[in-house]
Structures are given as structure tokens and as C-alpha cells.
DNA sequence: CCGGATCCAGTATGATACTG
DNA sequence: CAGTATCATACTGGATCCGG
């Protein structure tokens, strides 16, 4: 999630918003868009090769490489290297990786139920703003 | 989450990883770290002023301003402007904003249960990598 | 003073080219 | 095929300025 932004966050004050500290930590780890999507994809297909993931997600080679390395480091993903020619590298979820799918599904359901509403709100807001701009920019009646 | 990365993502192929497309969309909207934290914070306290949020989250003025504008646009947050001196602007969640707390809580619980495990995995991985580097960098026995 | 808007510098991301 | 290196660009945070 654009949850990107892995390092920059200042430490939160302990006394404030107790939940935020915890949430903030988890988001720092597995909260970016690509991590989430890789986990979903592996949860759905079991085992995938590097380029299969790349094609599935429309992610750049660079980010996929970085994301997988992070996920392996965090113990969410297993990496299996087959030293054949051409090489073959397979990825699948660890148990912890699998368990991560549950909270993500919750997010998915919420998404399904609310995306339409968000789009409506967004259009309404944009229209309102546009009208305000039009109004302040040409207070006088149009010249015709 | 770092889900940041709001615009750059190429559209996903429809035929691949059906869930990913939906998840990807929601993450593009409310998936970045600050949006999530602002919603949590408002869910916890009900109504907060601009600088209260700023202090709670350790977010920069700039990002808070942008994040709140987005959340208002998406219909998750209400903004109330009191034209006093000094000005006073209050924010609280809409119904949709409130409903967003549920999936986020799921994430929070998962976090609570798994953060420690992640840290362990991370340390183990780092140590392994360090040893490999040490090995390849100085194949000979240390000079003592 | 508060809530922002603006400008600037550092970081993260994507596209492309290259290697084993 | 599975990455790594490089460069251009987008985004983020910090400092500064401003209207009320």
C-alpha cells in the first residue's frame, strides 16, 4: 500500500493512539502494495516462478525482485532455486504467509463493497471543486 | 501501504489473479500508510483537529494535508471548518470511514500475532546473509 | 497562532539495457 | 529465465511563507 514508504516514518509517541503504533509497524513491514499483491497471488496459485508473478501482477522486474527478497527475509515466502539451464526459481508461501491471507481477504471484501461508493464520492467531490473554481475564476457572467 | 504508489501501477490483466485486480484497486485508493493511520486515529478518538492528528501520527504537515484531502474526496472523512481566529478545522469519519476500521483491525490482530515472528525471521536471514558475505569475502582463514 | 500552500532536496519507483 | 545496473521520474518530508 502505497503503503510503501518503508523507512521514513518517525517513531510514534507511545502515549498517543495505542493502536497506531502497532499498525504502523506492520505496515512498515508488509504494508506496501506489491508485498500484498505477491502474497495474494501466491495464496491463489500455490507456487509460482519469478516471471509468472511478474506477468500476473504487472510489476516491474526490479520491484518484484526487491519485494520477494523482503518477503523471504520476513519469513512470509519460501524461495527455491533450481540450478538448471535456464535457471528456475520458485516461490511459495510459508505458514505465516498463508495466515496473512485472512486479514487481506477482509480488506478485499471491504473493497468489493465500497469501491463503487468511493467512486461516486470522488466524482461528486471533483465536480464540486470544479464548480468552485469556475465560480471564483469568473465571477462575472459569461460574455455572450 | 506503502501501499503508496497511487498512480504508477499498470492495469492488471483481467484473466490473471482475479482477486489481485480488486485488491489493487482498493490499495490504490486507501492503501497508503497515512490514510490507514488517519482512519485508525479518527476511529479511536472520534473527532480530531488538524494538529492533533499531526501530533498523534508524527506525520508531516504536508502529507497530512494531502492525505486528509484525499480521504475527504473518497468520502471516508468529513471536514468541518470553523472560521474563527485562529482557525479550527475538525475531522471525523463518515459511515464508510467507520466501516473501514473492521478490515484494518483484522490486519492489526494479525500484526500483533506475527510481528515477533517476523523479527526473528529477519534476524535469522540477516545473519545468514552476513555469514555468506563474510565467507565469500575472506575465503582464507583469519590472520591470527 | 492554526491550517495550509509552496518550494526544495532526498528517496523510492519504473523502464530499459545488460549479465550469468 | 532470473535477476542486477543505470537513469529518468514520481513521491515524500522538511522548511518556509501566507491568509485569517
Amino acid at each position: 500500500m502505497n503503503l510503501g514508504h518503508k523507512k521514513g516514518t518517525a517513531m510514534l509517541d507511545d502515549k498517543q493512539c495505542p493502536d497506531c503504533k502497532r499498525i504502523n509497524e506492520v505496515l512498515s513491514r508488509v504494508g506496501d502494495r506489491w508485498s500484498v499483491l505477491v502474497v495474494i497471488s501466491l495464496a491463489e496459485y500455490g507456487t509460482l516462478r519469478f516471471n509468472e508473478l511478474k506477468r500476473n501482477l504487472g510489476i516491474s522486474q526490479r520491484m518484484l525482485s526487491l519485494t520477494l527478497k523482503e518477503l523471504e527475509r520476513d519469513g512470509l515466502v519460501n524461495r527455491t532455486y533450481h540450478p538448471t539451464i535456464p535457471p528456475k526459481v520458485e516461490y511459495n508461501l510459508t505458514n505465516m504467509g498463508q495466515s496473512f491471507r485472512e486479514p487481506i481477504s477482509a480488506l478485499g471484501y471491504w473493497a468489493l463493497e465500497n469501491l463503487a461508493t468511493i467512486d461516486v464520492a470522488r466524482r461528486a467531490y471533483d465536480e464540486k471543486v470544479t464548480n468552485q473554481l469556475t465560480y471564483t475564476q469568473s465571477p462575472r457572467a459569461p460574455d455572450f
Side-chain angles (χ1 to χ4, degrees), chain A:
Chain A
M1 312 188 192
N2 248 226
L3 310 195
H5 341 94
K6 294 235 174 185
K7 278 169 47 184
T9 308
M11 265 312 101
L12 299 173
D13 289 348
D14 285 347
K15 50 183 188 297
Q16 316 274 16
C17 191
D19 283 356
C20 289
K21 194 162 193 293
R22 197 170 82 236
I23 301 270
N24 197 32
E25 284 192 63
V26 69
L27 292 183
S28 302
R29 286 173 172 74
V30 289
D32 67 286
R33 175 214 245 54
W34 294 129
S35 296
V36 172
L37 290 176
V38 166
V39 170
I40 300 289
S41 211
L42 289 177
E44 197 134 328
Y45 290 98
T47 296
L48 289 172
R49 302 179 57 172
F50 186 90
N51 275 319
E52 290 174 331
L53 277 167
K54 182 166 169 327
R55 275 191 298 275
N56 274 5
L57 301 179
I59 184 179
S60 69
Q61 245 170 354
R62 183 185 132 80
M63 286 316 293
L64 181 55
S65 180
L66 293 173
T67 301
L68 285 169
K69 211 180 292 179
E70 269 290 299
L71 288 174
E72 190 196 353
R73 180 163 106 105
D74 289 348
L76 294 168
V77 161
N78 285 319
R79 184 190 126 114
T80 315
Y81 176 70
H82 303 276
T84 56
I85 295 181
K88 175 175 176 178
V89 183
E90 293 183 316
Y91 294 91
N92 59 59
L93 294 181
T94 62
N95 288 339
M96 182 166 43
Q98 305 256 3
S99 76
F100 186 55
R101 195 189 186 184
E102 228 176 280
I104 293 300
S105 295
L107 208 64
Y109 289 129
W110 186 88
L112 186 62
E113 290 173 18
N114 292 281
L115 275 182
T117 311
I118 290 183
D119 280 332
V120 171
R122 205 174 265 213
R123 266 193 281 279
Y125 181 94
D126 290 346
E127 192 171 334
K128 196 180 63 184
V129 170
T130 304
N131 289 342
Q132 285 175 355
L133 281 179
T134 311
Y135 178 68
T136 54
Q137 280 176 356
S138 57
R140 295 179 304 164
D143 237 9
F144 60 92

